[in-house]
Amino acid sequence: MTRGLDDGSVDLGDVARRIAEMAAGPEQVEAYVARRRETAVRVYDGAVESLTSATSTGIGVRVVRDGRQGFASTGSLSAGGEAGAHAIGSALAAVLDAARTNAAFASPDDNGGIAEPDGVAPADLALWRDETVATPVADKIALAVDLDRRLRDADSRVRQVPSSDYGDVASEVAIATSAGIRAATRRTSCHLSASVLVGTGAETQSGTGFAVGRAPGDLDAEEAAQDALDRALRLLGARKGTSGEVTVVFDPRVTAVVLSVIAGALAGDVAVKGRSMFTGRLGESVAAGHVTLVDDPTDARAFSAASVDAEGMACRRNVLVDAGVLRGFVHDSRSGRMAGTGSSGSAVRGGYATTPGAGCRALVLRPATRGTGRGDGAPPGTGGIAGTGGSGRDEILAIVGEGLYVQSVTGVHSGANPVSGDFSVAAEGVRIAGGGFAEPVREVTIASTLQRMLASVLAIGSDIDWLPGIAAGQTVAIEGMRMSGR
Amino acid sequence: MIAADVVERVLHEALRRGGDLAEVFAEDRRSTAATLDDGRVEEVASSEERGAGIRVLCGETTGFAYTADLSERGLVEAARTASAVARGRTASVQEAPPGGSRPTPGAVRLPPEEVPTADKVALLRQADDAARASNASVVQVSASYGDARRRILVARSDGVFAEDDQVRTRLSVTCVAAGDSGMQTGFESVARTAGFEVFDERTAGDVAGQAARRAVAKLAARPAPSGMLPVILAAGSGGILFHEACGHGLEADHIVKDASVYAHKLGELVASPLVTLVDDGTMPGEWGASAIDDEGWPAQRNVLIERGVLTDYMWDLVRARREGRAPGGNGRRQSYRDLPMVRMTNTFITAGEGEPDDIIASTPYGVYVAKLGGGQVNTATGDFVFGTVEAYLVENGRVTEPLRDANLVGNGPEILRRVDAVAGDFATSPGTCGKDGQNVPVGCGQPTLRISGVTVGGTAGGEGAP
């Protein structure tokens, strides 16, 4: 890569535009240029274990010719490392040529091609904070040291704090296409996270906690420390649960994980290929009547909020499930053409080295409670959908009465299948008795199908917490899951 | 990749402000990928990544910076950034031995860069045709081909100067089968540290046929049982269990922080005497093989558990220095943009002496796993989970009906003690291991073996007994 790009002295939008303008004849060209600055601090026992700081830049180029798509990327813009406009120019030409060559081997696709501008204006979101880049490294280190210290001093049962991390990323992206798209976005994010081991006697339990924000000043170390500690201490004395059918209450972090799996089935490119449990079910009931699922990347509070998608289209609010009925999928330009709806501004990509696909960025459940009158804590006067305000963990535990509070799940990548809907994950948490926490439970699995889980949602909390990722965290209760343990 | 005199000047710069050790890790990675979906070659992609990561070790602290600019100016700037943490005494830069260390990379008969792209794309077509031809209920096929050539150079102020040239080639196929019971998926892959000759040994059609068979078999599958049951793992089907259940807990970074259930247990019986666990980066062709690790240390064979007794942990440079011992060839990193850490290479249980069929015949009721999916472990508690992607019920000593996918959960140390039968066969399978956000290729392996009790997380009611 040339020093120019690293220094930020070369305008990313200019680089993207230069590539897009190299399009020859009827060929379509899309250039995605990204620059990323990162700081990562790991603290152990009060001292810095590692400190990483670096900037990287990369380019991904998509070429579509006669409906055939080719792609090439590079993170090394100048083979010899010499600076200068000439070197950049030849590097850009080389990556474009590679994409053209690759295109020749792909199958023609009537629906293929880059995004067509649709006139929707991008929302103006404040996702960048100069402070994230400007804060001295010493101050960032101090945040992680503070977190480590808080955890070590918090409780006599703390045995170890294996790592306390601070990390931030400042990223800038420019997209330009031969169809006339010129988009530029930038964002900052940072986090504090730690894991803690607590124990008594021969037993050890662990917990992780984190805080996220757009700038270091947003981060609350106490919140991260308390979260890690609560989760670990709560599990002390945990035993394997008994097998049987249970109502589960998902911790907000667990809900975010489950919603992310459901998001996979709501991706238009997956759905149009018949590879989603929701394929062919538009207009049908796919969830309980009080379940409404919205993907709204223009909500600036969402961690993955964005004004522009990975193809340069304006992001927008998409209602995917409305009152239990499947109303739509999220589409990139190709799946939108296949579905006949057009792009929903939902193209996502893993970085400059991958091509776009369709995906959610900010999936959230609208708060609601099913008015069954179940349990002492059911809100009064609920016939059908209850009021949307005020229900957090305590209220939902009260509604449920007896069940399992699931604090964390593992094995999701192997145990949750967005095609068949099969769902089986390892869980740990706390038994719910009398509408509150009873004894901790570990080494159990909870299983069902995603279809059945959506139909069996009992309550959706209004305690929305925008966790890192593509879905919101909120407390949710689901009836009739199979718990397997002793 | 970088001239020796440039490396020396960069190392000097890295240690200018102090520090015990400096390292330059340079990487040049070129890869090709092609995907087929729904009968169409959707995409052919190529990528190039080239850069260097520079580390400065000062006491217990590591400073790290990376750059894609391999010019002397770019490297020196990264060295200065990495050295920001350094202070105090400065170590000297020792001259590398003449010619450095150039371990023999694995033999590659057909370098992928010399294979025409059309031949790579043809593999995807073969896979698609074979899967669809194998069974009418196969409704979707996706196939993915990838190859990568990764050249690395490790140069350090303590005189280490080593290079490696790693070539990896893979093909994976996912099939969706549709039937009255809904849709089911089947997956199969071949992945070797080798060139295009991989497909002489295993054809694309064979890989696809296996994926199709798995998806179709599950159409007739019944829900998996729930509860604690004996589980038999077919040879090569479930090395991931041992990777998760004990491998991660034996990584020295967890050990030195006392954050593993296996800390302070060297010399103790931690597993059934039938269990010998080895991590071996030298196995030719295996997915986790290389000539050197990403810290320049030669790959080696490390016996971790021998006949049930814990004999050693896995070590990288930082953790080994701290303990005053030699590294073990387990320092790996995803790319020049990442710090190395303790990682597994090819991890496996060695073969025993029994017959696989005898193990099944002596199991009245349980689950026979023909293929496991991914897994995950909490190294502090040893609790793990992994998913089945092809499993059958065992009834009265016979493998009977196919089961729908389910997760298995257990605790590493407990599972190791419950291994009660190990056969004389052996097979491996490739995987991708993620740790702290970094993915590296690994191999897993085991003979056919039985664990007397694992919690099976199916949806069907009823405890163990039929």
Side-chain angles (χ1 to χ4, degrees):
Chain A
M1 160 185 336
T2 65
R3 301 182 48 71
L5 278 172
D6 261 5
D7 292 344
S9 59
V10 168
D11 181 62
L12 299 187
D14 183 54
V15 172
R17 186 184 47 76
R18 280 167 66 185
I19 299 171
E21 286 174 358
M22 289 184 213
E27 117 187 317
Q28 300 181 338
V29 173
E30 172 196 80
Y32 180 97
V33 186
R35 176 164 53 218
R36 190 175 186 273
R37 258 178 267 190
E38 68 161 316
T39 308
V41 180
R42 171 159 289 184
V43 163
Y44 173 67
D45 204 6
V48 177
E49 179 177 305
S50 63
L51 168 63
T52 301
S53 42
T55 301
S56 55
T57 309
I59 294 182
V61 176
R62 203 153 54 118
V63 169
V64 183
R65 245 185 189 174
D66 307 325
R68 299 169 194 267
Q69 174 172 309
F71 180 75
S73 70
T74 180
S76 333
L77 287 188
S78 162
E82 329 92 79
H86 177 70
I88 297 178
S90 58
L92 301 187
V95 66
L96 177 61
D97 270 354
R100 281 178 178 145
T101 305
N102 289 334
F105 296 100
S107 310
D109 175 5
D110 292 343
N111 296 302
I114 60 176
E116 291 297 327
D118 63 2
V120 178
D124 185 16
L125 306 178
L127 305 176
W128 173 277
R129 300 265 293 276
D130 288 333
E131 177 198 344
T132 306
V133 179
T135 301
V137 171
D139 293 357
K140 297 176 178 178
I141 290 172
L143 284 170
V145 170
D146 177 46
L147 177 57
D148 175 73
R149 179 52 47 208
R150 283 173 193 270
L151 280 166
R152 287 180 189 277
D153 293 347
D155 192 290
S156 61
R157 291 166 291 180
V158 170
R159 286 192 166 153
Q160 182 60 288
V161 184
S163 57
S164 299
D165 294 331
Y166 167 86
D168 65 45
V169 175
S171 65
E172 300 163 78
V173 172
I175 302 167
T177 75
S178 55
I181 286 175
R182 300 284 183 271
T185 61
R186 56 181 198 158
R187 59 191 302 126
T188 54
S189 66
C190 56
H191 74 271
L192 267 178
S193 64
S195 59
V196 64
L197 305 185
V198 301
T200 52
E203 185 189 6
T204 299
Q205 294 294 347
S206 68
T208 59
F210 54 84
V212 295
R214 303 225 174 269
D218 299 345
L219 301 175
D220 183 347
E222 184 52 35
E223 176 198 333
Q226 200 56 52
D227 194 21
L229 205 60
D230 285 348
R231 287 166 181 273
L233 291 175
R234 201 182 281 151
L235 288 176
L236 279 177
R239 295 175 56 196
K240 207 173 175 72
T242 33
S243 299
E245 190 131 310
V246 291
T247 296
V248 299
V249 175
F250 287 153
D251 179 274
R253 275 198 222 170
V254 175
T255 299
V257 166
V258 175
L259 283 183
S260 300
V261 174
I262 291 168
L266 289 168
D269 49 0
V270 170
V272 292
K273 288 175 184 164
R275 213 164 290 159
S276 159
M277 60 182 179
F278 296 129
T279 295
R281 303 201 56 193
L282 274 178
E284 293 178 20
S285 169
V286 296
H290 55 287
V291 172
T292 290
L293 266 170
V294 178
D295 183 52
D296 185 9
T298 65
D299 183 338
R301 296 167 301 175
F303 183 82
S304 301
S307 54
V308 171
D309 80 354
E311 292 183 308
M313 304 290 281
C315 288
R316 53 207 83 174
R317 182 174 188 271
N318 292 299
V319 177
L320 305 173
V321 174
D322 189 10
V325 176
L326 182 65
R327 290 297 176 200
F329 295 94
V330 289
H331 288 293
D332 61 6
S333 64
R334 176 169 177 250
S335 75
R337 278 188 285 265
M338 289 176 79
T341 61
S343 167
S344 64
S346 306
V348 292
R349 59 208 287 172
Y352 66 83
T354 58
T355 49
C360 295
R361 288 174 189 267
L363 193 61
V364 60
L365 280 162
R366 214 174 68 187
T369 305
R370 196 174 75 203
T372 58
R374 243 182 94 108
D376 300 335
T382 55
I385 301 168
T388 56
S391 59
R393 185 176 77 195
D394 292 345
E395 290 80 5
I396 289 178
L397 290 179
I399 291 169
V400 167
E402 308 291 318
L404 176 71
Y405 182 79
V406 181
Q407 171 173 307
S408 69
V409 292
T410 50
V412 175
H413 57 315
S414 58
N417 187 327
V419 180
S420 66
D422 285 349
F423 185 90
S424 163
V425 299
E428 52 189 24
V430 187
R431 195 170 70 83
I432 304 166
F437 280 168
E439 75 280 0
V441 173
R442 59 178 270 269
E443 216 188 320
V444 296
T445 62
I446 49 170
S448 182
T449 63
L450 291 166
Q451 295 92 326
R452 209 181 310 141
M453 288 161 69
L454 280 169
S456 310
V457 171
L458 180 65
I460 302 166
S462 57
D463 51 348
I464 294 170
D465 185 8
W466 286 106
L467 303 171
I470 59 164
Q474 50 197 134
T475 305
V476 169
I478 292 177
E479 294 175 292
M481 291 199 71
R482 178 87 204 169
M483 178 160 89
S484 176
R486 269 201 310 271
Chain B
M1 241 178 297
I2 309 174
D5 59 321
V6 173
V7 166
E8 200 184 317
R9 287 195 292 274
V10 171
L11 290 172
H12 272 293
E13 185 61 38
L15 291 172
R16 190 177 296 280
R17 297 170 68 166
D20 308 324
L21 191 68
E23 175 192 78
V24 175
F25 171 87
E27 178 181 46
D28 182 320
R29 188 174 191 281
R30 279 142 210 264
S31 58
T32 309
T35 54
L36 173 142
D37 205 356
D38 206 8
R40 299 177 42 259
V41 177
E42 286 211 320
E43 179 177 301
V44 177
S46 48
S47 85
E48 279 184 31
E49 296 288 342
R50 205 173 132 88
I54 296 178
R55 259 201 301 182
V56 176
L57 272 53
C58 184
E60 303 278 301
T61 300
T62 299
F64 180 60
Y66 56 84
T67 177
D69 182 356
L70 292 185
S71 71
E72 182 163 353
R73 199 162 56 137
L75 291 168
V76 163
E77 191 181 305
R80 284 188 189 134
T81 306
S83 71
V85 298
R87 65 190 70 81
R89 185 183 74 85
T90 297
S92 61
V93 177
Q94 290 171 31
E95 216 170 291
S101 147
R102 291 172 190 270
T104 316
V108 174
R109 198 157 52 75
L110 295 171
E113 66 214 69
E114 293 171 19
V115 174
T117 305
D119 291 5
K120 299 174 184 176
V121 169
L123 285 179
L124 301 177
R125 293 257 174 242
Q126 288 162 28
D128 190 46
D129 291 347
R132 289 176 193 276
S134 72
N135 194 297
S137 53
V138 173
V139 292
Q140 281 292 354
V141 180
S142 58
S144 164
Y145 166 88
D147 62 53
R149 180 176 180 194
R150 178 181 189 247
R151 288 182 297 144
I152 61 169
L153 160 72
V154 185
R156 268 208 308 270
S157 58
D158 60 0
V160 166
F161 192 99
E163 295 180 87
D164 195 11
D165 191 344
Q166 301 161 0
V167 173
R168 290 191 168 90
T169 304
R170 64 168 177 84
L171 174 72
S172 61
V173 182
T174 302
C175 293
V176 177
D180 297 339
S181 59
M183 290 188 287
Q184 288 291 340
T185 55
F187 174 82
E188 174 67 1
S189 68
V190 57
R192 305 281 292 168
T193 300
F196 208 70
E197 67 273 15
V198 162
F199 305 106
D200 293 346
E201 297 161 32
R202 184 119 195 253
T203 65
D206 181 50
V207 175
Q210 184 77 293
R213 193 188 51 71
R214 284 204 173 108
V216 171
K218 272 189 283 186
L219 288 177
R222 48 177 275 184
S226 58
M228 180 91 89
L229 294 172
V231 168
I232 300 169
L233 300 176
S237 72
I240 181 89
L241 187 161
F242 299 98
H243 173 104
E244 296 296 341
C246 44
H248 280 297
L250 297 174
E251 294 166 339
D253 44 357
H254 301 303
I255 298 296
V256 299
K257 288 184 178 174
D258 213 356
S260 163
V261 280
Y262 297 101
H264 311 297
K265 295 207 169 146
L266 277 182
E268 288 181 27
L269 195 69
V270 297
S272 150
L274 297 172
V275 172
T276 292
L277 180 76
V278 174
D279 182 83
D280 186 352
T282 70
M283 295 168 89
E286 291 297 332
W287 195 229
S290 60
I292 57 172
D293 73 0
D294 297 326
E295 300 182 307
W297 194 262
Q300 64 186 48
R301 182 178 197 271
N302 296 307
V303 178
L304 306 171
I305 296 174
E306 191 162 17
R307 295 172 195 275
V309 176
L310 183 61
T311 51
D312 202 358
Y313 303 113
M314 286 172 277
W315 298 89
D316 67 352
L317 177 77
V318 168
R319 264 48 71 156
R321 275 179 86 233
R322 199 186 142 115
E323 302 296 309
R325 58 165 286 160
N330 289 98
R332 303 182 68 191
R333 57 210 297 172
Q334 179 174 308
S335 82
Y336 72 88
R337 293 177 184 175
D338 302 291
L339 270 171
M341 58 183 152
V342 187
R343 303 303 295 262
M344 286 174 259
T345 61
N346 305 296
T347 313
F348 55 92
I349 301 282
T350 58
E353 287 168 355
E355 287 294 324
D357 290 348
D358 292 347
I359 295 178
I360 298 166
S362 62
T363 307
Y365 186 80
V367 170
Y368 178 84
V369 176
K371 183 81 177 169
L372 280 179
Q376 206 175 328
V377 70
N378 178 333
T379 48
T381 61
D383 287 350
F384 68 80
V385 55
F386 52 99
T388 65
V389 294
E390 184 183 4
Y392 301 85
L393 203 58
V394 176
E395 295 170 292
N396 303 317
R398 285 176 49 244
V399 173
T400 57
E401 289 176 83
L403 299 173
R404 294 184 75 152
D405 293 351
N407 260 327
L408 309 182
V409 298
N411 178 268
E414 284 171 20
I415 290 297
L416 284 178
R417 287 189 201 100
R418 290 193 196 136
V419 173
D420 68 354
V422 178
D425 54 352
F426 181 79
T428 62
S429 61
T432 299
C433 172
K435 177 177 171 183
D436 254 9
Q438 292 191 44
N439 292 323
V440 297
V442 295
C444 296
Q446 37 64 238
T448 299
L449 57 80
R450 183 176 60 204
I451 301 159
S452 61
V454 181
T455 300
V456 180
T459 52
E463 305 296 312

